Amino acid sequence: MYPAYFGVEGLDQTLEKGLSYGSQIMVLGDTGVGKSVLAGEFIKEGLRCGDTCIYVAFDEPPHVMRRHLLSFKVGTRVYEELNRLVFVDAYEEEESSETYCLYDQRSLDKYFVLEKSIIRQFAGQRLRLVVDSLSTLMTNMESNEIVEFHRSRLKWLRRQGVLTMDIFVSGVLPERLITVTSHLYNVILKMNFSGSPTHPSRMLQVGKLKSQRFVANKYPFTIDPVFGILVFTNMEVGT
């Protein structure tokens, strides 16, 4: 099977062999830094490559991602009609027009049951799953419950060969819990603002945990209204 990529200029060049299906990506970033834009580009790349893409919307209604994709010149209607693009509404807890909905954000088990039932419908296909953001589901949950959920869920997704992107908002979950759960992911991507509040810049780190340390290269990036995220790999600033 061919390797997968993010579909992001500069970022893909940092992945020598790409991503294998069944890998899990943790995206951890500040509010407003561009995590959902990255998710949109990841989905766009998947659709371009013939993957079936599932997007779980926790933090905003699904139509927000539809607008993101439209800004990338991706009209979602045809892909949705062909079941190549599936939206799961985990934002509206009462009424939703989406085919797939999560009405109870207070249960990790109910979410996992829904996730598995959707993925099983596409058995045998190359799948990309984006959960935006998983930290919202885990708010006010016990740490041991979250860790066990991570272990069983990521193990199951790996066996199914699902290329998974789990998004986390910085500061929502305890830092120690993020550190523990990050060991379960193949790739960790951190996105944050740096510089002064009046002149902020965006920084991206992509790497892995090795010997309890996050080993990564750090690059500046920007978000272009036409080309999306652009990572400047020729401007590495160290860890």
Side-chain angles (χ1 to χ4, degrees), residues 44-174:
K44 176 186 176 182
E45 174 70 6
L47 295 173
R48 187 187 68 83
C49 294
D51 297 353
T52 295
C53 300
I54 302 168
Y55 179 77
V56 185
F58 272 102
D59 293 350
E60 296 176 310
H63 69 77
V64 176
M65 178 52 72
R66 288 187 176 98
R67 287 205 306 266
H68 274 313
L69 290 170
L70 188 59
S71 70
F72 298 144
K73 311 301 181 185
V74 178
T76 63
R77 182 176 177 179
V78 172
Y79 288 111
E80 291 184 68
E81 290 176 348
L82 295 173
N83 281 328
R84 290 274 317 285
L85 178 59
V86 176
F87 288 95
V88 182
D89 189 349
Y91 179 79
E92 300 287 352
E93 290 198 65
E94 295 181 0
E95 295 183 3
S96 176
S97 59
E98 302 294 334
T99 303
Y100 301 103
C101 310
L102 179 69
Y103 291 117
D104 186 359
Q105 292 190 2
R106 296 174 296 277
S107 172
L108 297 176
D109 290 338
K110 288 182 180 179
Y111 170 72
F112 193 20
V113 168
L114 175 63
E115 187 177 76
K116 287 193 289 188
S117 69
I118 296 171
I119 288 172
R120 282 172 175 149
Q121 295 180 40
F122 301 98
Q125 300 182 33
R126 287 202 317 255
L127 293 178
R128 294 187 181 214
L129 170 68
V130 179
V131 184
D132 187 7
S133 66
L134 196 57
S135 51
T136 298
L137 176 65
M138 296 175 174
T139 304
N140 300 322
M141 300 286 183
E142 295 292 333
S143 294
N144 59 344
E145 184 181 5
I146 292 174
V147 172
E148 183 55 37
F149 166 78
H150 266 301
R151 284 178 177 151
S152 58
R153 172 178 173 266
L154 293 178
K155 182 179 180 180
W156 187 84
L157 289 169
R158 190 176 299 115
R159 289 202 306 265
Q160 308 310 308
V162 179
L163 180 58
T164 304
M165 175 184 285
D166 287 337
I167 297 176
F168 295 82
V169 181
S170 298
V172 173
L173 299 176

Side-chain angles (χ1 to χ4, degrees), residues 23-44:
S23 298
Q24 287 97 27
I25 307 157
M26 169 186 269
V27 177
L28 176 66
D30 296 337
T31 299
V33 76
K35 300 182 298 299
S36 293
V37 178
L38 175 67
E41 299 212 42
F42 184 71
I43 292 170
K44 176 186 176 182

Side-chain angles (χ1 to χ4, degrees), residues 218-230:
K218 182 184 291 186
Y219 307 103
F221 75 96
T222 186
I223 299 177
D224 184 272
V226 175
F227 299 105
I229 293 177
L230 300 174

